[in-house]
Structure formats: structure tokens, C-alpha cells
Amino acid sequence: MEKVKQSFDLQSLVRENIRNLVPYSTARDDFQGMAEIFLDANENSMGSPLPGNFNRYPDPMQGKLKQKLSLIKGLSPDQIFLGNGSDECIDLLFRAFCIPGLDQVILCPPTYGMYEVCAHLNDIPIRLAPLDQSFQLDLEAIGRALDPRTKLIFLCSPNNPTGNSLRYSDIETILNNFDGLLVLDEAYINFSRHRSWIPGLAEYPNLVILQTLSKSWGLAGLRVGMALGSVELVRILNRVKYPYNIGQDTQELALEALDRVDQVNEWTRILVQQRERLEQELPKLGEVVQVYPSDANFLLVRMKDAQDCYRYLMRLGTIVRDRSRILLCAACLRITVGSPGENDLLLEQLSSYVSSPR
Ligand SMILES: *Cc1c(COP(=O)(O)O)cnc(C)c1O
């Protein structure tokens, strides 16, 4: 049974100024053949002081990188938008679809902080529909937050900072009933026991999936994030981005890294094992109240006194994230799963914390 969402019209969601935008045409746009001499872009014809062709502008559409990613993701290259981290994708979604001061976004806290920051940055009113006590979506709250001016709903699965995946059926319900864009952030999907929503892109033109090379791929320093969606959506984001948003070195290094998928899979397997180890070991410590189930490479841990523990670990040189002041996360620390040796040390430091006088 093929069910394709009928009522969705992406063009009517795009801001009018973006729809009418004549994008900056880059130096090599109208050239496909084989040229020898490039005197069109005011580059330095003498060369670059670094090894490599850094005197030339990079491919503005990152063709090779998208080609390789398309094989990994099982999508066509023109369904892939690349940004300077997912953070650029988040910002561009606001800029392409939300009229400042007028259009709205729904966020489901506690969740990744950049959605809120980017909304504020773009002056987009936020309606909150907090997660329930088990960190799942509250569909009724989302229904109440909906407005004719709601353009985007941001969801994160596995969710940061709670670590859990959102129910498949809830996401499906929203996709079937919402005529704006559902942006699903899958930054941690490779650590999850649940599958990606990528196959859903064929069915739902209102679905945008964010993924990144920053987490399981181990390339946070490189800054490559992606928005996966319909060809039409990717075309819009391409019009809005800065022409050369991904540098030459980044494109080359990312291409190299994508060949090392075996290494990455091995590390992912180890990190998931280590997560399970910490899930078992942490609750044995007296100061730990609860370890929440995680599909990511971190654990949300409720402590008796989170701030005290946070400061104790900090004095020993171990930094975790204090999430104790955010909604539904009272007394919680968010602890990234380390390497096996780092986790040994963490557990040692935490047991010394438990037995320390306070
Ligand atoms: C870490 C993280 C990202 C990654 O952002 P980049 O800009 O790609 O490094 C995106 N979303 C969530 C929820 C994250 O936790």
C-alpha cells in the first residue's frame, strides 16, 4: 500500500523573498567542459602558499562528497544538502521558511539548545510542547501549540540530552497531520538500536532529516552536517546558503574519512558496549538515583546532588555536562560515553566521590 502525502505544498511554505531570490551565481556555474586556464574568479594564479590547490574556490555544491554520501545513505545526491555542521542547516531552515516576528516554530524541550538559539537569532516566535515524564512526545501539547503560522516542528531522536528515541508512531502521526516541515534531528542515529527515518523521505515530502559527521563519524572538528529531504527542499537550501560554505580541505578530508567506514563501525560498536557498561555500573554507586535508557553516545544520569558531583569531577579534571537546571532534568548530569580507559577513570572518580565526606 503506497501512501504518499497529498496535501503538501513546499513552495507555499517558502518565504516570498526566498522564492523570488536570484541566487549568487558562482564562478563555475555555467561551465561544464574541460578548461585549462581559469581567469574567471580573481583567484591567485600563482598558486597557494600551502600544498594543495587552495588558491582555487571549492566546489560550491560538494559534488564528490554528496556522491559518496548518497551511496551510504541510499538517497540520490540531490536529496542531500551539506552545511557547516548541522547548525548551519538549522539556521538555513529558519531563514528559508520563517518570516521573522510572524511565523512560528514548535520545540519539545528538553532538547538540543541550538533550535532555540537559532529561532531567537532569526526572531521566530517559539511555542513549547514539552516532552512527557518518559521523554516521549506529548501529541496533545503539540496539537495545542500548533498555529496556522507554524512552519517548523523540531524533533530530535535519539534526543539530546535525554538519550531516548522518540516513538515511531508519534512521528508518523505528526507527519500525517502537519503541513509544515517536520525537522527530525538524527545526530545520534548510528548509536541507536532503532532505524533511521530516511526511508520515510520517499513517503513524506514534509520530512527533513538532519545528520552529521560530528558524532559517530568522529569529525566534530571538520564541521560537516547534512539536511536530507526532497529534491525540492534541497534546492531551496542551496539557494539560501553562502556559495562556498564547505571549504576545500573539509571536502577532501570528509571524502577520505568516508572510506574508513569499517573503523567507524568498530568504534561505534565499542562505544555502544561501553554505554551498556556504564548503564550497568553507574546505578551501583550510592549517589546515582537513576540512569535513563540511551540510544546515543551519552547517558542522562539523575544524581542526589548533580552540581556537587559536577564540581568534584571537574576538580579531578573530568568534565561532564550539568543539565540540572533544564526542564525535566533536575539533578541530572549528561555524561558522554568515553573510551574504555576514560570510563575506567570516570567510574573510579565517581566511587571516590561516593566515599568522600560532604
Ligand atoms: C551534536 C549535535 C548536533 C551536531 O551539530 P554539528 O553542527 O553537526 O556539529 C546536531 N544535533 C544534535 C541534537 C546534537 O546533539
Side-chain angles (χ1 to χ4, degrees), residues 279-319:
E279 267 170 349
Q280 284 185 353
E281 295 301 318
L282 289 171
K284 296 179 186 163
L285 300 167
E287 291 292 314
V288 171
V289 178
Q290 188 174 3
V291 178
Y292 291 92
S294 171
D295 271 322
N297 66 335
F298 58 83
L299 291 165
L300 189 71
V301 183
R302 183 153 283 158
M303 307 292 297
K304 285 187 182 152
D305 186 342
Q307 288 181 43
D308 189 55
C309 180
Y310 172 74
R311 283 192 287 261
Y312 183 90
L313 289 173
M314 178 112 82
R315 280 196 296 276
L316 297 182
T318 299
I319 316 295

mmCIF file of all heavy atoms in Angstrom, residues 279-319:
data_model
loop_
_atom_site.group_PDB
_atom_site.id
_atom_site.type_symbol
_atom_site.label_atom_id
_atom_site.label_comp_id
_atom_site.label_asym_id
_atom_site.label_seq_id
_atom_site.Cartn_x
_atom_site.Cartn_y
_atom_site.Cartn_z
ATOM 1 N N GLU A 279 25.755 1.943 31.876
ATOM 2 C CA GLU A 279 24.350 1.786 32.280
ATOM 3 C C GLU A 279 24.231 0.788 33.435
ATOM 4 O O GLU A 279 23.370 0.927 34.297
ATOM 5 C CB GLU A 279 23.505 1.288 31.085
ATOM 6 C CG GLU A 279 22.870 2.404 30.283
ATOM 7 C CD GLU A 279 22.243 1.917 28.964
ATOM 8 O OE1 GLU A 279 22.464 0.753 28.564
ATOM 9 O OE2 GLU A 279 21.531 2.732 28.333
ATOM 10 N N GLN A 280 25.120 -0.228 33.418
ATOM 11 C CA GLN A 280 25.094 -1.230 34.492
ATOM 12 C C GLN A 280 25.826 -0.755 35.737
ATOM 13 O O GLN A 280 25.379 -1.007 36.857
ATOM 14 C CB GLN A 280 25.747 -2.531 34.008
ATOM 15 C CG GLN A 280 24.841 -3.308 33.083
ATOM 16 C CD GLN A 280 25.444 -4.656 32.705
ATOM 17 O OE1 GLN A 280 26.599 -4.959 33.039
ATOM 18 N NE2 GLN A 280 24.658 -5.456 32.002
ATOM 19 N N GLU A 281 26.964 -0.096 35.535
ATOM 20 C CA GLU A 281 27.836 0.236 36.664
ATOM 21 C C GLU A 281 27.371 1.472 37.443
ATOM 22 O O GLU A 281 27.472 1.506 38.673
ATOM 23 C CB GLU A 281 29.281 0.439 36.194
ATOM 24 C CG GLU A 281 29.946 -0.807 35.631
ATOM 25 C CD GLU A 281 29.997 -1.951 36.646
ATOM 26 O OE1 GLU A 281 30.304 -1.682 37.827
ATOM 27 O OE2 GLU A 281 29.696 -3.104 36.253
ATOM 28 N N LEU A 282 26.893 2.473 36.744
ATOM 29 C CA LEU A 282 26.557 3.726 37.434
ATOM 30 C C LEU A 282 25.493 3.562 38.522
ATOM 31 O O LEU A 282 25.642 4.126 39.610
ATOM 32 C CB LEU A 282 26.130 4.799 36.414
ATOM 33 C CG LEU A 282 27.254 5.348 35.529
ATOM 34 C CD1 LEU A 282 26.705 6.234 34.413
ATOM 35 C CD2 LEU A 282 28.268 6.139 36.371
ATOM 36 N N PRO A 283 24.424 2.772 38.272
ATOM 37 C CA PRO A 283 23.387 2.662 39.307
ATOM 38 C C PRO A 283 23.887 2.002 40.589
ATOM 39 O O PRO A 283 23.241 2.116 41.639
ATOM 40 C CB PRO A 283 22.306 1.783 38.654
ATOM 41 C CG PRO A 283 22.567 1.867 37.195
ATOM 42 C CD PRO A 283 24.049 2.042 37.049
ATOM 43 N N LYS A 284 25.050 1.325 40.519
ATOM 44 C CA LYS A 284 25.589 0.697 41.727
ATOM 45 C C LYS A 284 26.186 1.724 42.675
ATOM 46 O O LYS A 284 26.493 1.414 43.820
ATOM 47 C CB LYS A 284 26.670 -0.330 41.345
ATOM 48 C CG LYS A 284 26.128 -1.500 40.514
ATOM 49 C CD LYS A 284 27.258 -2.459 40.162
ATOM 50 C CE LYS A 284 26.748 -3.540 39.209
ATOM 51 N NZ LYS A 284 27.869 -4.236 38.547
ATOM 52 N N LEU A 285 26.414 2.942 42.172
ATOM 53 C CA LEU A 285 27.009 3.983 43.013
ATOM 54 C C LEU A 285 25.920 4.665 43.825
ATOM 55 O O LEU A 285 24.876 5.054 43.276
ATOM 56 C CB LEU A 285 27.733 5.019 42.140
ATOM 57 C CG LEU A 285 28.878 4.471 41.280
ATOM 58 C CD1 LEU A 285 29.300 5.491 40.239
ATOM 59 C CD2 LEU A 285 30.053 4.069 42.169
ATOM 60 N N GLY A 286 26.186 4.816 45.118
ATOM 61 C CA GLY A 286 25.182 5.365 46.025
ATOM 62 C C GLY A 286 24.621 6.724 45.626
ATOM 63 O O GLY A 286 23.455 7.012 45.872
ATOM 64 N N GLU A 287 25.444 7.554 45.013
ATOM 65 C CA GLU A 287 24.997 8.913 44.703
ATOM 66 C C GLU A 287 24.129 8.986 43.445
ATOM 67 O O GLU A 287 23.578 10.029 43.120
ATOM 68 C CB GLU A 287 26.200 9.843 44.537
ATOM 69 C CG GLU A 287 26.959 10.127 45.827
ATOM 70 C CD GLU A 287 26.141 10.970 46.803
ATOM 71 O OE1 GLU A 287 25.542 11.971 46.369
ATOM 72 O OE2 GLU A 287 26.099 10.617 47.997
ATOM 73 N N VAL A 288 24.051 7.867 42.713
ATOM 74 C CA VAL A 288 23.275 7.858 41.473
ATOM 75 C C VAL A 288 21.836 7.437 41.755
ATOM 76 O O VAL A 288 21.583 6.392 42.342
ATOM 77 C CB VAL A 288 23.918 6.903 40.437
ATOM 78 C CG1 VAL A 288 22.999 6.713 39.236
ATOM 79 C CG2 VAL A 288 25.273 7.440 40.000
ATOM 80 N N VAL A 289 20.893 8.279 41.360
ATOM 81 C CA VAL A 289 19.485 7.982 41.606
ATOM 82 C C VAL A 289 18.898 7.184 40.439
ATOM 83 O O VAL A 289 18.162 6.223 40.622
ATOM 84 C CB VAL A 289 18.681 9.290 41.795
ATOM 85 C CG1 VAL A 289 17.195 9.003 41.995
ATOM 86 C CG2 VAL A 289 19.248 10.073 42.975
ATOM 87 N N GLN A 290 19.227 7.576 39.209
ATOM 88 C CA GLN A 290 18.655 6.910 38.045
ATOM 89 C C GLN A 290 19.518 7.133 36.812
ATOM 90 O O GLN A 290 20.030 8.231 36.595
ATOM 91 C CB GLN A 290 17.242 7.470 37.776
ATOM 92 C CG GLN A 290 16.498 6.709 36.710
ATOM 93 C CD GLN A 290 15.054 7.188 36.553
ATOM 94 O OE1 GLN A 290 14.629 8.136 37.211
ATOM 95 N NE2 GLN A 290 14.312 6.535 35.670
ATOM 96 N N VAL A 291 19.679 6.099 36.022
ATOM 97 C CA VAL A 291 20.336 6.222 34.712
ATOM 98 C C VAL A 291 19.256 5.989 33.669
ATOM 99 O O VAL A 291 18.617 4.941 33.640
ATOM 100 C CB VAL A 291 21.462 5.190 34.555
ATOM 101 C CG1 VAL A 291 22.105 5.310 33.174
ATOM 102 C CG2 VAL A 291 22.518 5.376 35.638
ATOM 103 N N TYR A 292 19.047 6.970 32.817
ATOM 104 C CA TYR A 292 17.981 6.839 31.819
ATOM 105 C C TYR A 292 18.467 6.009 30.633
ATOM 106 O O TYR A 292 19.636 6.111 30.257
ATOM 107 C CB TYR A 292 17.528 8.233 31.362
ATOM 108 C CG TYR A 292 16.794 8.971 32.448
ATOM 109 C CD1 TYR A 292 17.469 9.811 33.325
ATOM 110 C CD2 TYR A 292 15.431 8.782 32.633
ATOM 111 C CE1 TYR A 292 16.809 10.467 34.348
ATOM 112 C CE2 TYR A 292 14.751 9.438 33.658
ATOM 113 C CZ TYR A 292 15.446 10.277 34.507
ATOM 114 O OH TYR A 292 14.792 10.910 35.523
ATOM 115 N N PRO A 293 17.570 5.222 30.049
ATOM 116 C CA PRO A 293 17.969 4.412 28.892
ATOM 117 C C PRO A 293 18.403 5.298 27.732
ATOM 118 O O PRO A 293 17.819 6.354 27.498
ATOM 119 C CB PRO A 293 16.707 3.620 28.532
ATOM 120 C CG PRO A 293 15.590 4.194 29.322
ATOM 121 C CD PRO A 293 16.159 5.043 30.412
ATOM 122 N N SER A 294 19.464 4.884 27.038
ATOM 123 C CA SER A 294 20.018 5.742 25.989
ATOM 124 C C SER A 294 20.218 4.993 24.680
ATOM 125 O O SER A 294 20.653 3.842 24.659
ATOM 126 C CB SER A 294 21.366 6.308 26.446
ATOM 127 O OG SER A 294 22.013 6.976 25.379
ATOM 128 N N ASP A 295 19.904 5.672 23.578
ATOM 129 C CA ASP A 295 20.213 5.199 22.232
ATOM 130 C C ASP A 295 21.343 6.023 21.622
ATOM 131 O O ASP A 295 21.550 5.999 20.411
ATOM 132 C CB ASP A 295 18.979 5.326 21.330
ATOM 133 C CG ASP A 295 18.113 4.078 21.372
ATOM 134 O OD1 ASP A 295 18.675 2.971 21.424
ATOM 135 O OD2 ASP A 295 16.875 4.210 21.360
ATOM 136 N N ALA A 296 22.046 6.781 22.463
ATOM 137 C CA ALA A 296 23.059 7.711 21.957
ATOM 138 C C ALA A 296 24.426 7.383 22.564
ATOM 139 O O ALA A 296 24.600 6.335 23.188
ATOM 140 C CB ALA A 296 22.644 9.147 22.265
ATOM 141 N N ASN A 297 25.404 8.272 22.401
ATOM 142 C CA ASN A 297 26.724 8.027 22.989
ATOM 143 C C ASN A 297 26.904 8.840 24.277
ATOM 144 O O ASN A 297 27.980 9.296 24.585
ATOM 145 C CB ASN A 297 27.839 8.359 21.991
ATOM 146 C CG ASN A 297 27.884 9.835 21.662
ATOM 147 O OD1 ASN A 297 26.887 10.538 21.782
ATOM 148 N ND2 ASN A 297 29.051 10.321 21.253
ATOM 149 N N PHE A 298 25.783 9.005 24.978
ATOM 150 C CA PHE A 298 25.836 9.683 26.282
ATOM 151 C C PHE A 298 24.720 9.124 27.145
ATOM 152 O O PHE A 298 23.795 8.461 26.643
ATOM 153 C CB PHE A 298 25.693 11.208 26.119
ATOM 154 C CG PHE A 298 24.416 11.603 25.430
ATOM 155 C CD1 PHE A 298 23.218 11.712 26.119
ATOM 156 C CD2 PHE A 298 24.406 11.859 24.050
ATOM 157 C CE1 PHE A 298 22.045 12.063 25.468
ATOM 158 C CE2 PHE A 298 23.235 12.197 23.397
ATOM 159 C CZ PHE A 298 22.052 12.301 24.114
ATOM 160 N N LEU A 299 24.822 9.417 28.433
ATOM 161 C CA LEU A 299 23.786 8.966 29.366
ATOM 162 C C LEU A 299 23.314 10.150 30.191
ATOM 163 O O LEU A 299 24.123 10.964 30.647
ATOM 164 C CB LEU A 299 24.347 7.904 30.313
ATOM 165 C CG LEU A 299 24.682 6.542 29.680
ATOM 166 C CD1 LEU A 299 25.551 5.727 30.627
ATOM 167 C CD2 LEU A 299 23.398 5.787 29.338
ATOM 168 N N LEU A 300 22.012 10.246 30.378
ATOM 169 C CA LEU A 300 21.461 11.215 31.317
ATOM 170 C C LEU A 300 21.349 10.502 32.662
ATOM 171 O O LEU A 300 20.749 9.428 32.754
ATOM 172 C CB LEU A 300 20.089 11.690 30.849
ATOM 173 C CG LEU A 300 19.521 12.869 31.653
ATOM 174 C CD1 LEU A 300 20.287 14.156 31.343
ATOM 175 C CD2 LEU A 300 18.031 13.067 31.363
ATOM 176 N N VAL A 301 21.977 11.109 33.671
ATOM 177 C CA VAL A 301 22.091 10.439 34.966
ATOM 178 C C VAL A 301 21.550 11.345 36.058
ATOM 179 O O VAL A 301 22.038 12.476 36.228
ATOM 180 C CB VAL A 301 23.568 10.090 35.269
ATOM 181 C CG1 VAL A 301 23.678 9.328 36.583
ATOM 182 C CG2 VAL A 301 24.173 9.277 34.131
ATOM 183 N N ARG A 302 20.534 10.866 36.769
ATOM 184 C CA ARG A 302 20.000 11.665 37.885
ATOM 185 C C ARG A 302 20.794 11.340 39.138
ATOM 186 O O ARG A 302 20.976 10.183 39.492
ATOM 187 C CB ARG A 302 18.508 11.375 38.091
ATOM 188 C CG ARG A 302 17.872 12.213 39.191
ATOM 189 C CD ARG A 302 16.391 12.423 38.988
ATOM 190 N NE ARG A 302 16.151 13.433 37.950
ATOM 191 C CZ ARG A 302 15.017 13.543 37.255
ATOM 192 N NH1 ARG A 302 14.028 12.727 37.496
ATOM 193 N NH2 ARG A 302 14.881 14.487 36.345
ATOM 194 N N MET A 303 21.293 12.399 39.796
ATOM 195 C CA MET A 303 22.167 12.254 40.970
ATOM 196 C C MET A 303 21.429 12.733 42.210
ATOM 197 O O MET A 303 20.398 13.397 42.119
ATOM 198 C CB MET A 303 23.424 13.124 40.793
ATOM 199 C CG MET A 303 24.194 12.928 39.499
ATOM 200 S SD MET A 303 24.988 11.326 39.389
ATOM 201 C CE MET A 303 26.131 11.422 40.783
ATOM 202 N N LYS A 304 22.004 12.439 43.373
ATOM 203 C CA LYS A 304 21.449 13.054 44.585
ATOM 204 C C LYS A 304 21.751 14.554 44.569
ATOM 205 O O LYS A 304 20.892 15.361 44.879
ATOM 206 C CB LYS A 304 22.039 12.385 45.835
ATOM 207 C CG LYS A 304 21.424 11.003 46.084
ATOM 208 C CD LYS A 304 21.886 10.410 47.398
ATOM 209 C CE LYS A 304 21.286 9.012 47.564
ATOM 210 N NZ LYS A 304 22.151 8.148 48.386
ATOM 211 N N ASP A 305 22.994 14.894 44.195
ATOM 212 C CA ASP A 305 23.364 16.308 44.113
ATOM 213 C C ASP A 305 24.253 16.517 42.873
ATOM 214 O O ASP A 305 25.468 16.338 42.947
ATOM 215 C CB ASP A 305 24.087 16.741 45.399
ATOM 216 C CG ASP A 305 24.372 18.248 45.412
ATOM 217 O OD1 ASP A 305 24.329 18.892 44.329
ATOM 218 O OD2 ASP A 305 24.647 18.784 46.505
ATOM 219 N N ALA A 306 23.615 16.876 41.782
ATOM 220 C CA ALA A 306 24.322 16.936 40.497
ATOM 221 C C ALA A 306 25.431 17.985 40.504
ATOM 222 O O ALA A 306 26.541 17.735 40.022
ATOM 223 C CB ALA A 306 23.338 17.218 39.367
ATOM 224 N N GLN A 307 25.146 19.158 41.043
ATOM 225 C CA GLN A 307 26.130 20.234 40.964
ATOM 226 C C GLN A 307 27.363 19.924 41.793
ATOM 227 O O GLN A 307 28.488 20.218 41.391
ATOM 228 C CB GLN A 307 25.500 21.554 41.408
ATOM 229 C CG GLN A 307 24.526 22.074 40.366
ATOM 230 C CD GLN A 307 23.901 23.408 40.765
ATOM 231 O OE1 GLN A 307 24.591 24.286 41.261
ATOM 232 N NE2 GLN A 307 22.604 23.526 40.532
ATOM 233 N N ASP A 308 27.125 19.292 42.936
ATOM 234 C CA ASP A 308 28.238 18.913 43.801
ATOM 235 C C ASP A 308 29.128 17.890 43.092
ATOM 236 O O ASP A 308 30.354 18.013 43.088
ATOM 237 C CB ASP A 308 27.668 18.335 45.107
ATOM 238 C CG ASP A 308 28.749 18.116 46.147
ATOM 239 O OD1 ASP A 308 29.471 19.089 46.460
ATOM 240 O OD2 ASP A 308 28.890 16.963 46.610
ATOM 241 N N CYS A 309 28.511 16.916 42.482
ATOM 242 C CA CYS A 309 29.256 15.874 41.770
ATOM 243 C C CYS A 309 29.991 16.463 40.570
ATOM 244 O O CYS A 309 31.149 16.135 40.297
ATOM 245 C CB CYS A 309 28.282 14.786 41.326
ATOM 246 S SG CYS A 309 29.071 13.451 40.426
ATOM 247 N N TYR A 310 29.305 17.353 39.869
ATOM 248 C CA TYR A 310 29.882 18.028 38.706
ATOM 249 C C TYR A 310 31.173 18.747 39.086
ATOM 250 O O TYR A 310 32.202 18.633 38.419
ATOM 251 C CB TYR A 310 28.849 19.008 38.155
ATOM 252 C CG TYR A 310 29.340 19.931 37.072
ATOM 253 C CD1 TYR A 310 29.559 19.461 35.789
ATOM 254 C CD2 TYR A 310 29.579 21.283 37.339
ATOM 255 C CE1 TYR A 310 30.002 20.298 34.785
ATOM 256 C CE2 TYR A 310 30.025 22.135 36.354
ATOM 257 C CZ TYR A 310 30.230 21.644 35.081
ATOM 258 O OH TYR A 310 30.674 22.479 34.093
ATOM 259 N N ARG A 311 31.101 19.477 40.219
ATOM 260 C CA ARG A 311 32.281 20.228 40.658
ATOM 261 C C ARG A 311 33.395 19.307 41.132
ATOM 262 O O ARG A 311 34.579 19.564 40.901
ATOM 263 C CB ARG A 311 31.892 21.238 41.747
ATOM 264 C CG ARG A 311 31.201 22.474 41.171
ATOM 265 C CD ARG A 311 31.077 23.587 42.207
ATOM 266 N NE ARG A 311 30.060 23.258 43.194
ATOM 267 C CZ ARG A 311 28.804 23.737 43.167
ATOM 268 N NH1 ARG A 311 28.446 24.600 42.224
ATOM 269 N NH2 ARG A 311 27.944 23.393 44.082
ATOM 270 N N TYR A 312 33.010 18.211 41.780
ATOM 271 C CA TYR A 312 34.002 17.233 42.236
ATOM 272 C C TYR A 312 34.779 16.660 41.045
ATOM 273 O O TYR A 312 36.012 16.636 41.037
ATOM 274 C CB TYR A 312 33.295 16.113 43.012
ATOM 275 C CG TYR A 312 34.231 15.079 43.597
ATOM 276 C CD1 TYR A 312 34.755 15.220 44.879
ATOM 277 C CD2 TYR A 312 34.594 13.949 42.860
ATOM 278 C CE1 TYR A 312 35.614 14.274 45.410
ATOM 279 C CE2 TYR A 312 35.459 12.995 43.375
ATOM 280 C CZ TYR A 312 35.969 13.159 44.651
ATOM 281 O OH TYR A 312 36.822 12.228 45.173
ATOM 282 N N LEU A 313 34.023 16.219 40.029
ATOM 283 C CA LEU A 313 34.675 15.650 38.842
ATOM 284 C C LEU A 313 35.553 16.686 38.151
ATOM 285 O O LEU A 313 36.656 16.401 37.683
ATOM 286 C CB LEU A 313 33.621 15.121 37.855
ATOM 287 C CG LEU A 313 32.872 13.857 38.276
ATOM 288 C CD1 LEU A 313 31.759 13.548 37.289
ATOM 289 C CD2 LEU A 313 33.826 12.669 38.398
ATOM 290 N N MET A 314 35.070 17.905 38.106
ATOM 291 C CA MET A 314 35.816 18.990 37.456
ATOM 292 C C MET A 314 37.163 19.201 38.139
ATOM 293 O O MET A 314 38.180 19.374 37.470
ATOM 294 C CB MET A 314 34.993 20.280 37.533
ATOM 295 C CG MET A 314 35.682 21.475 36.942
ATOM 296 S SD MET A 314 34.860 22.030 35.471
ATOM 297 C CE MET A 314 33.560 22.998 36.155
ATOM 298 N N ARG A 315 37.167 19.132 39.479
ATOM 299 C CA ARG A 315 38.429 19.313 40.217
ATOM 300 C C ARG A 315 39.420 18.205 39.870
ATOM 301 O O ARG A 315 40.623 18.397 39.922
ATOM 302 C CB ARG A 315 38.176 19.345 41.732
ATOM 303 C CG ARG A 315 37.688 20.694 42.237
ATOM 304 C CD ARG A 315 37.810 20.813 43.760
ATOM 305 N NE ARG A 315 36.970 19.862 44.470
ATOM 306 C CZ ARG A 315 35.678 20.061 44.755
ATOM 307 N NH1 ARG A 315 35.097 21.202 44.404
ATOM 308 N NH2 ARG A 315 34.984 19.148 45.398
ATOM 309 N N LEU A 316 38.891 17.028 39.491
ATOM 310 C CA LEU A 316 39.773 15.912 39.115
ATOM 311 C C LEU A 316 40.109 15.942 37.623
ATOM 312 O O LEU A 316 40.773 15.047 37.110
ATOM 313 C CB LEU A 316 39.110 14.585 39.467
ATOM 314 C CG LEU A 316 38.827 14.342 40.953
ATOM 315 C CD1 LEU A 316 38.212 12.966 41.159
ATOM 316 C CD2 LEU A 316 40.103 14.470 41.788
ATOM 317 N N GLY A 317 39.605 16.951 36.925
ATOM 318 C CA GLY A 317 39.947 17.084 35.507
ATOM 319 C C GLY A 317 38.989 16.373 34.566
ATOM 320 O O GLY A 317 39.293 16.196 33.390
ATOM 321 N N THR A 318 37.830 15.957 35.062
ATOM 322 C CA THR A 318 36.847 15.300 34.193
ATOM 323 C C THR A 318 35.631 16.207 34.027
ATOM 324 O O THR A 318 34.993 16.587 35.012
ATOM 325 C CB THR A 318 36.408 13.944 34.788
ATOM 326 O OG1 THR A 318 37.555 13.100 34.878
ATOM 327 C CG2 THR A 318 35.355 13.272 33.905
ATOM 328 N N ILE A 319 35.356 16.552 32.795
ATOM 329 C CA ILE A 319 34.252 17.470 32.537
ATOM 330 C C ILE A 319 33.044 16.689 32.021
ATOM 331 O O ILE A 319 33.136 15.984 31.020
ATOM 332 C CB ILE A 319 34.626 18.518 31.452
ATOM 333 C CG1 ILE A 319 36.025 19.081 31.684
ATOM 334 C CG2 ILE A 319 33.580 19.626 31.392
ATOM 335 C CD1 ILE A 319 36.175 19.874 32.930
#
